[in-house]
C-alpha cells in the first residue's frame, strides 16, 4: 500500500498556485490539518482526504491571485 506524502503534494500545489513560500506554508498547513484530523470528531461527514486538501489549496491560490499585495501567510 502506498502512503501519500501530503506535505510534498501540498508544497507542489502551492507552487503551482503561485505562492513563493510554499515549503514553509505546506509544513504549517499539514501540521494544522493533521491536528484537526486527530482532535476533531471522527464522524463520517468530515473529509480528511486529498480532495479536501486540494480544495483548500486551490482557494488559497485564487485568494493570492486576487490580491497580490496580501502576504502569503495571511492567505493560508
Amino acid at each position: 500500500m502506498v502512503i501519500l506524502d501530503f506535505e510534498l503534494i501540498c508544497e507542489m500545489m502551492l507552487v503551482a498556485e503561485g505562492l513563493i513560500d510554499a515549503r514553509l506554508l505546506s509544513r504549517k498547513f499539514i501540521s494544522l490539518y493533521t491536528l484537526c484530523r486527530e482532535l476533531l470528531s471522527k464522524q463520517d461527514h468530515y473529509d480528511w482526504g486529498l480532495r479536501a486538501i486540494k480544495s483548500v489549496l486551490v482557494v488559497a491560490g485564487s485568494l493570492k491571485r486576487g490580491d497580490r499585495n496580501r502576504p502569503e501567510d495571511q492567505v493560508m
Side-chain angles (χ1 to χ4, degrees):
M1 188 161 138
V2 177
I3 298 174
L4 298 175
D5 185 2
F6 287 126
E7 189 174 321
L8 181 62
I9 293 170
C10 181
E11 180 182 347
M12 292 301 116
M13 288 207 53
L14 288 173
V15 168
E17 292 291 336
L19 279 78
I20 304 299
D21 295 331
R23 181 165 296 188
L24 176 65
L25 293 174
S26 67
R27 282 189 199 133
K28 288 181 179 182
F29 176 75
I30 293 300
S31 64
L32 174 66
Y33 185 82
T34 304
L35 281 173
C36 289
R37 181 178 54 207
E38 292 171 357
L39 297 176
L40 292 176
S41 175
K42 305 289 187 227
Q43 296 180 7
D44 291 335
H45 61 272
Y46 290 132
D47 182 17
W48 300 109
L50 190 57
R51 185 175 296 160
I53 291 174
K54 184 178 186 292
S55 298
V56 171
L57 298 178
V58 167
V59 168
S62 67
L63 287 173
K64 179 62 180 171
R65 285 189 302 276
D67 185 9
R68 295 201 182 268
N69 294 328
R70 178 186 274 182
E72 292 180 351
D73 58 343
Q74 289 182 1
V75 169
M76 289 300 291

